[in-house]
Amino acid sequence: MKKYFPIVSIIFSFLFVLAACSNQAIIDTNSAVIGNAEADTPEESVTSVHDNQTKDTSPGQEVTVYEDGNYFYYRELIEITTTEILGCETGLIDFRSQDGQRPNITYIDDDLNLYTISTQTDPTDPNGIVYCELGRYDPDAKEYKAIVKLDSKNAHGYFLGVSESYIIWKKVYANGKNLLSELHVCDKNGEGDIVFFTDHINPETGRIYEFNYNPTVIIGDKVYFDAVTGLNDGITEMDVLCYDRITGEVNVVSNMAKRPVRYLDGIAYLKKGEGTNSRLFSYIDGRESFLMDLAEDTADYAFSGDKICRSVYNYEDPNSGKILISSMSIFYGEEEIPLIEGKKSNYTYHVQSNGEAMIWEITNPEKPVYYDIINDRFVRIDDEEIGYYGSFAGSDFIVFFTQSDPEDPDSPMRYINIRS
């Protein structure tokens, strides 16, 4: 393992000639140690936030609801500064890709290398991409290496998974007026790149059914991923599949399933239940097993030991009529314990947990906040500015990041890194 370096990642958005999309890669983590705010902070310096308290009932107990401009918190919310958290580091990260662009950091491997993407647009057509580069930055050596270069107009790619030996990435490109996409595998230097799966085409439109950028799960020489296979009465149909690098075969793991994540020695994934409910299954040693019913349509989820952290679709934006993701729950067995609920059209997505802390994407301006699983409370970093923050969970740290100068998108990224 290389010497520790603060890691950042970022949501990126690309205006594509046929579709707009965004991606934040998620890596699977099994355990972590986060600086314990309660143990590391003098008691008098920890402040509870008591704005607009109300009473609510959680299964088996009465809880106080804390409130700010973005959320209702169903656990205590404390404020703390970066200097009061043991192991917290702050600073800037600043590097360029070979084409001189400032890349977006979208993934990290076990050696703490940063995987990035940068694009150039057509000056005569701001929606048209003319060049896309996927690369890797080694923070120890302070070296950047281009891995994939896409110089065909209106094509871009992004990372979906990185293992010790190879990389999974997706290419999305325009073929005339049609949007197509395919999954690639290559080694960590970009060598030996091959296409192992092409997304299904809607025969009525000649395009892919739906843009899908869900992460993959890599276990040894097998890659688990989901793919959109059709639309039925407005419902997206998806399957979970497995690509075997040894045989080159792609086989269906489970029909009408989505969002595979690492679980024990295998994977877990979601299936549709009754109404808007979701059902959770596991797939270990070639055998599918039912785990539990989830009471609401699950948007995203992560495991934290035997607990399930998940966000759900439960907010309708009156301005757009679209269902957005705005609340988060944690499950102990089959009992739902509410944690946080959005107050407006923000959402809690890209849920990540490492056993000690849970984080999510923050989509409205606020100070960085996370859920401290060990002490069963929320922690807000009070000495940081209100702004847009990305978040990432590693094996022994969590990190928040934001643009150091909100008025300058080319400015370095500021990070707040909490580690053991």
Side-chain angles (χ1 to χ4, degrees):
M1 181 69 70
K2 296 184 177 183
K3 181 181 178 182
Y4 179 81
F5 186 89
I7 299 304
V8 297
S9 62
I10 188 169
I11 293 179
F12 63 88
S13 297
F14 291 109
L15 290 175
F16 197 68
V17 65
L18 296 173
C21 62
S22 65
N23 175 61
Q24 164 68 50
I26 306 174
I27 63 170
D28 176 77
T29 52
N30 295 320
S31 62
V33 178
I34 303 299
N36 185 326
E38 185 172 57
D40 302 335
T41 309
E43 181 176 353
E44 62 272 16
S45 67
V46 178
T47 304
S48 291
V49 180
H50 296 290
D51 298 337
N52 302 317
Q53 291 188 38
T54 60
K55 292 291 184 181
D56 193 20
T57 301
S58 180
Q61 62 179 342
E62 185 179 64
V63 298
T64 299
V65 180
Y66 300 82
E67 179 181 356
D68 63 17
N70 286 323
Y71 297 113
F72 293 105
Y73 299 89
Y74 292 85
R75 293 293 186 275
E76 181 185 15
L77 173 65
I78 69 165
E79 292 180 336
I80 196 169
T81 66
T82 53
T83 58
E84 294 170 332
I85 304 175
L86 182 66
C88 183
E89 298 175 348
T90 61
L92 301 177
I93 183 168
D94 188 7
F95 67 94
R96 302 279 177 156
S97 62
Q98 290 180 348
D99 59 10
Q101 302 292 310
R102 181 172 302 287
N104 288 322
I105 303 166
T106 60
Y107 212 91
I108 174 179
D109 67 14
D110 291 338
D111 293 323
L112 301 180
N113 293 303
L114 311 181
Y115 289 80
T116 67
I117 182 170
S118 59
T119 61
Q120 293 180 357
T121 57
D122 185 343
T124 65
D125 179 10
N127 293 336
I129 294 173
V130 296
Y131 179 82
C132 176
E133 181 176 294
L134 306 182
R136 179 178 62 247
Y137 179 72
D138 182 336
D140 284 343
K142 293 182 171 54
E143 293 179 350
Y144 173 86
K145 175 181 175 60
I147 297 174
V148 175
K149 294 183 179 181
L150 299 171
D151 55 6
S152 58
K153 184 175 176 62
N154 296 322
H156 70 82
Y158 48 88
F159 296 105
L160 291 182
V162 179
S163 73
E164 294 181 358
S165 304
Y166 57 93
I167 293 167
I168 305 298
W169 65 281
K170 174 169 277 193
K171 177 182 177 181
V172 181
Y173 60 99
N175 182 10
K177 295 182 178 180
N178 296 328
L179 183 66
L180 308 176
S181 59
E182 57 194 26
L183 286 171
H184 290 240
V185 60
C186 62
D187 70 18
K188 296 184 81 169
N189 291 316
E191 301 295 330
D193 186 87
I194 64 170
V195 177
F196 69 87
F197 183 80
T198 300
D199 280 308
H200 293 254
I201 303 298
N202 185 337
E204 296 181 0
T205 64
R207 303 165 50 130
I208 56 175
Y209 283 100
E210 186 177 298
F211 187 75
N212 175 29
Y213 53 95
N214 290 341
T216 63
V217 179
I218 304 174
I219 303 177
D221 288 310
K222 294 185 177 181
V223 180
Y224 297 91
F225 61 100
D226 59 12
V228 178
T229 58
L231 295 173
N232 186 1
D233 292 331
I235 297 175
T236 301
E237 297 180 340
M238 300 182 72
D239 293 343
V240 171
L241 303 102
C242 177
Y243 165 64
D244 190 321
R245 287 201 70 212
I246 303 301
T247 66
E249 296 179 348
V250 175
N251 295 305
V252 175
V253 171
S254 187
N255 295 115
M256 294 296 292
K258 65 178 182 177
R259 297 204 68 84
V261 302
R262 184 70 179 264
Y263 176 67
L264 301 178
D265 295 328
I267 62 170
Y269 43 79
L270 297 170
K271 287 190 171 187
K272 182 174 171 53
E274 295 183 3
T276 61
N277 291 357
S278 300
R279 309 189 79 200
L280 186 65
F281 287 80
S282 67
Y283 183 80
I284 301 174
D285 295 330
R287 186 175 184 178
E288 181 180 83
S289 300
F290 169 74
L291 293 179
M292 70 177 64
D293 283 311
L294 303 178
E296 296 170 286
D297 190 10
T298 298
D300 194 21
Y301 69 106
F303 284 96
S304 176
D306 61 349
K307 308 175 186 69
I308 300 175
C309 314
R310 70 185 186 101
S311 59
V312 297
Y313 296 97
N314 70 346
Y315 179 87
E316 183 172 356
D317 186 345
N319 297 318
S320 68
K322 295 181 179 179
I323 300 298
L324 301 178
I325 307 158
S326 68
S327 75
M328 187 179 296
S329 298
I330 192 167
F331 276 72
Y332 294 81
E334 297 186 6
E335 181 185 21
E336 181 177 2
I337 309 296
L339 283 181
I340 187 172
E341 182 178 354
K343 297 176 64 175
K344 48 189 176 181
S345 59
N346 58 349
Y347 58 68
T348 53
Y349 199 46
H350 298 127
V351 180
Q352 301 170 62
S353 172
N354 55 22
E356 301 283 340
M358 180 170 64
I359 56 175
W360 57 93
E361 285 305 322
I362 298 171
T363 58
N364 278 323
E366 64 179 308
K367 296 183 178 183
V369 62
Y370 64 93
Y371 175 59
D372 177 355
I373 294 175
I374 301 302
N375 294 299
D376 193 23
R377 67 187 182 185
F378 289 94
V379 178
R380 187 160 63 200
I381 304 177
D382 187 50
D383 57 334
E384 293 297 322
E385 299 293 331
I386 294 175
Y388 291 97
Y389 288 83
S391 56
F392 196 88
S395 59
D396 62 352
F397 64 91
I398 58 173
V399 65
F400 297 93
F401 58 91
T402 189
Q403 206 75 43
S404 58
D405 182 357
E407 303 299 322
D408 180 10
D410 198 43
S411 64
M413 297 299 297
R414 173 172 170 79
Y415 64 83
I416 305 102
N417 192 20
I418 306 170
R419 61 186 177 92
S420 58

